[in-house]
């Protein structure tokens, strides 16, 4: 299979339209890409010096949906099927995978990090973990690409937190990951607060799951904390039934999220920033609190995430913007400069 993809020659660019060969080995498939979402992690690889495991030149992109067009030995059953490709594909056989910790599998495949990714016409990936898409009922296959990280990752974070009905979820950052996490938390019956500086994003999440949206620019940290406490108090939700999700991937967001921890509190770190920050870890002891990192989502949870989207419990379209894949460099620069506030899905040329 001859693949056409946008190859980043080095960190920071340029990106060059390139062709390369990829043929599926046993238990591998080639997926014709319908759409590939642009993630904050892609920007980290490209602009911020975050190391990739495959050296540059590299085709980035790990939020992929498409159709299987070639299959290696043992993967024939996938031919012709529409799929979402997990952003993190554990091997399934190592001690970590057998122990239920596929997130830390040393042999995992992360498209656009370990192998050439989805900013291309096609992508070669393991068949292990692929998520088949049932009847889409009018949903666009390209849009489903964001399930591969922006929806599935907060799903995993919410699931691991144990968030339940009548509890409080606070999302620090209401961009792609945060916006979908807010909907997932609301679907589980939680009351949801968003902390987000962008007024457009605040308006969107108020229409899709958030009961309160706070502006951390207009309010200082003390005022934000007081507003969260008042919201919880009005609803009779104690601190130990509060789950905080850091989904901004910024230093200030992480400082805010940690600062909101109270007695018996729980913090899930979903966003990533290479910046360092100072924290008083003794707060965890004093509050008997918990901080949990979250790396992707195990493939076995993907069918439940797809069902949330196809059933309408999590909506995608208001949060998405489509662009031609040929505009990839300008999209990267616009996202990095925060000139685009929605999740961009890049569409390969027909």
């Amino acid at each position: 299979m001859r693949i056409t993809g946008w190859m980043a020659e080095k960190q920071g660019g340029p990106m060059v339209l390139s062709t390369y060969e990829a043929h599926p080995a046993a238990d591998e498939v080639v997926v014709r890409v319908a759409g590939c979402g642009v993630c904050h992690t892609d920007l980290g690889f490209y602009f911020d010096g975050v190391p990739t495991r495959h050296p540059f030149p590299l085709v980035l992109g790990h939020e992929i949906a498409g159709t299987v067009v070639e299959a290696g030995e043992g993967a024939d059953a996938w031919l012709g099927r529409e799929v979402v490709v997990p952003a993190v594909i554990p091997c399934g056989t190592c001690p970590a995978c057998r122990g239920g910790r596929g997130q830390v599998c040393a042999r995992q495949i992360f498209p656009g990090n370990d192998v050439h990714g989805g900013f291309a016409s096609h992508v070669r990936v393991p068949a292990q973990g692929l998520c088949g898409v049932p009847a889409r009922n009018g949903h666009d296959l390209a849009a489903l690409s964001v399930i591969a990280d922006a929806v599935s990752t907060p799903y995993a974070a919410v699931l691991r937190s144990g968030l339940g009905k009548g509890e409080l979820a606070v999302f620090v950052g209401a961009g792609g990951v945060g916006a979908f996490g807010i909907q997932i938390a609301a679907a589980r019956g939680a009351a949801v607060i968003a902390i987000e500086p962008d007024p457009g994003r605040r308006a969107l999440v108020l229409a899709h799951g958030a009961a309160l949206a706070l502006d951390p620019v207009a309010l200082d940290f003390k005022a934000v904390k007081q507003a969260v406490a008042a919201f919880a108090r009005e609803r009779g939700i104690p601190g130990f039934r509060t789950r905080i999700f850091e989904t901004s991937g910024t230093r200030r967001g992480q400082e805010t999220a940690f600062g909101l921890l109270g007695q018996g509190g729980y913090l899930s770190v979903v966003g990533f920033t290479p910046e360092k920050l100072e924290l008083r870890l003794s707060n965890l002891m004093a509050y008997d609190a918990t901080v949990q990192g979250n790396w992707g989502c195990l493939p076995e949870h993907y069918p439940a995430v797809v069902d949330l989207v196809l059933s309408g419990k999590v909506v995608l379209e208001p949060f998405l913007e489509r662009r031609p894949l040929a505009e990839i460099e300008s999209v990267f620069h616009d996202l990095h400069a925060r000139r685009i506030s929605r999740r961009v899905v890049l569409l390969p040329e027909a």
Side-chain angles (χ1 to χ4, degrees):
M1 168 72 67
R2 182 167 288 274
I3 295 176
T4 302
W6 286 90
M7 192 82 66
E9 295 193 330
K10 60 181 180 180
Q11 288 186 319
M15 291 191 187
V16 177
L17 188 61
S18 306
T19 58
Y20 49 96
E21 293 287 332
H23 302 282
D27 300 317
E28 290 185 339
V29 298
V30 172
V31 176
R32 183 176 66 242
V33 177
C36 186
V38 184
C39 176
H40 184 79
T41 304
D42 294 311
L43 303 183
F45 290 149
Y46 189 67
F47 290 109
D48 301 329
V50 177
T52 55
R53 291 189 286 261
H54 183 293
F56 283 80
L58 177 65
V59 176
L60 299 171
H62 57 271
E63 289 188 344
I64 306 163
T67 304
V68 176
V69 293
E70 284 193 12
E73 183 181 355
D76 290 345
W78 288 104
L79 270 174
R81 294 186 63 185
E82 294 181 340
V83 296
V84 175
V85 179
V88 177
I89 309 170
C91 74
T93 59
C94 71
C97 289
R98 293 198 305 271
R101 293 302 308 275
Q103 303 96 329
V104 296
C105 169
R107 299 202 296 266
Q108 66 182 235
I109 297 298
F110 184 145
N113 181 2
D114 296 289
V115 297
H116 291 314
F119 297 138
S121 60
H122 301 76
V123 64
R124 185 185 73 179
V125 292
Q128 163 77 21
L130 285 176
C131 180
V133 176
R136 289 188 273 117
N137 300 322
H139 287 80
D140 176 35
L141 181 59
L144 300 186
S145 63
V146 300
I147 288 173
D149 191 0
V151 187
S152 60
T153 294
Y155 177 88
V158 168
L159 189 67
R160 296 173 81 184
S161 77
L163 180 72
K165 185 176 181 180
E167 296 190 325
L168 174 59
V170 180
F171 282 81
V172 182
V177 170
F180 298 128
I182 285 165
Q183 294 184 66
I184 292 163
R188 292 176 71 89
V192 187
I193 296 174
I195 300 173
E196 168 59 49
D198 184 283
R201 288 176 172 177
R202 289 198 304 274
L204 269 175
V205 296
L206 282 171
H208 296 283
L212 177 66
L214 301 172
D215 181 356
V217 175
L219 302 173
D220 63 17
F221 172 73
K222 183 177 180 180
V224 168
K225 190 169 185 176
Q226 288 173 340
V228 171
F231 180 95
R233 190 166 52 249
E234 290 167 3
R235 287 157 179 76
I237 304 173
F240 67 87
R241 295 184 64 200
T242 297
R243 307 288 189 271
I244 301 162
F245 301 89
E246 200 299 297
T247 48
S248 75
T250 66
R251 176 177 177 172
R252 183 174 179 182
Q254 292 189 346
E255 289 172 340
T256 296
F258 190 84
L260 290 173
L261 274 174
Q263 295 286 343
Y266 178 98
L267 167 61
S268 176
V269 181
V270 185
F272 173 81
T273 175
E275 294 186 82
K276 296 180 180 180
L277 56 155
E278 292 186 5
L279 301 173
R280 189 173 66 185
L281 286 178
S282 294
N283 285 16
L284 300 181
M285 177 276 294
Y287 294 149
D288 195 37
T290 301
V291 175
Q292 170 79 62
N294 193 89
W295 176 253
C297 178
L298 294 175
E300 57 256 38
H301 298 308
Y302 271 64
V305 183
V306 170
D307 181 67
L308 281 173
V309 172
L310 297 185
S311 67
K313 293 178 181 177
V314 171
V315 299
L316 305 180
E317 290 298 341
F319 302 92
L320 301 184
E321 180 174 332
R322 293 169 176 78
R323 295 280 190 92
L325 180 56
E327 296 180 10
I328 184 170
E329 274 202 86
S330 63
V331 166
F332 266 50
H333 285 277
D334 284 346
L335 285 168
H336 193 242
R338 300 187 183 277
R339 290 189 289 265
I340 300 175
S341 62
R342 299 191 181 192
R343 196 72 164 194
V344 175
V345 175
L346 293 176
L347 307 177
E349 295 76 7

